[in-house]
Amino acid sequence: MTRKPLLAALAFACLAVSILVPVAAFAQVTTTPTVSPAVVIPYGEYVVAVAQLVGDILVPLASTVVLGLLARFYPMVRMLVSEALVERTLRKWFDFGVNATAGAVKDNTVTVPVGAGIVANSLQRAVNRADVNAVSKWTMDQAGGPEEVANKLFRMLKLDRGATASELVASALASLPKQ
C-alpha cells in the first residue's frame, strides 16, 4: 500500500510545478525586463485535444454498451431495436425492387403489373440475401418468412385503385424459384 502515497506525492508535485512555473516565469518577466521572455507551452490546447480524442472514442463505445445492456435486460427495448432493423432491411429490399423494375418510380402510384414486379424483385433480393447473409436470414425469419415479407412489401406500395394483396403477392411468390 505504499503506492498510493507515492502516486499522491507525484500528483501533488505535478500540480505544484504546473502552478508555480507560469507564476515564476511571469514574475521573472515583470521584474527583469532585460531578460528574454520564457517559452510558453500551450498546454491548454493539448488538454482540449486530448479531451476531444477521449470523447470521440468513449462516446460511441459507451452508447454501444448502454444500448447492448438495455437490449439484453429489457425485452421491450430489444423488440423495438429488432423491429427497427427489420423495417430498415425491408425498406432496402423494397428500394432495390423499385430500382430493378422497369416503369417504377419511388413514391409514385404504380399499376398492378408494375407493383407485382416491384414485390417480385424485392422478394427475390430478400431470398438471395437470406441465403448468403446471416443478418438477412435473421431478418427474413423475424419478418415471418417469404409470404409475410411479400405482404409487408405489398403494404409499402402506392397502388392504383382496385389492386388486392392476393393477386400481387401470389404472382410474386410464384416468381420465386422452387427450392
Side-chain angles (χ1 to χ4, degrees):
M1 291 297 159
T2 60
R3 234 173 130 159
K4 286 184 182 177
L6 181 63
L7 289 175
L10 181 63
F12 180 75
C14 289
L15 180 65
V17 167
S18 68
I19 291 172
L20 293 178
V21 167
V23 171
F26 178 75
Q28 188 178 22
V29 169
T30 56
T31 58
T32 358
T34 58
V35 177
S36 63
V39 176
V40 178
I41 300 174
Y43 58 87
E45 294 175 9
Y46 297 135
V47 170
V48 170
V50 168
Q52 286 177 346
L53 178 66
V54 168
D56 289 345
I57 293 171
L58 289 182
V59 168
L61 183 65
S63 63
T64 303
V65 168
V66 167
L67 284 176
L69 289 173
L70 283 174
R72 181 174 182 153
F73 293 115
Y74 295 104
M76 186 63 94
V77 174
R78 182 177 12 184
M79 181 189 70
L80 292 174
V81 170
S82 298
E83 285 182 6
L85 180 61
V86 168
E87 287 298 318
R88 189 176 72 214
T89 307
L90 285 172
R91 176 60 57 190
K92 285 182 180 182
W93 291 340
F94 181 77
D95 289 343
F96 175 84
V98 169
N99 291 335
T101 304
V105 179
K106 187 174 181 176
D107 295 332
N108 278 356
T109 305
V110 295
T111 61
V112 173
V114 173
I118 292 172
V119 172
N121 287 331
S122 302
L123 189 60
Q124 185 63 50
R125 172 69 172 192
V127 170
N128 291 345
R129 295 294 300 157
D131 288 341
V132 297
N133 188 331
V135 174
S136 294
K137 174 139 180 54
W138 177 85
T139 304
M140 179 73 78
D141 293 341
Q142 288 293 317
E147 292 90 15
E148 190 59 32
V149 168
N151 286 323
K152 289 180 180 187
L153 292 169
F154 167 76
R155 287 191 291 270
M156 291 180 184
L157 288 172
K158 292 180 182 177
L159 288 173
D160 288 338
R161 292 181 183 241
T164 62
S166 60
E167 59 190 10
L168 268 124
V169 172
S171 65
L173 290 172
S175 70
L176 287 177
K178 303 296 181 221
Q179 297 179 0

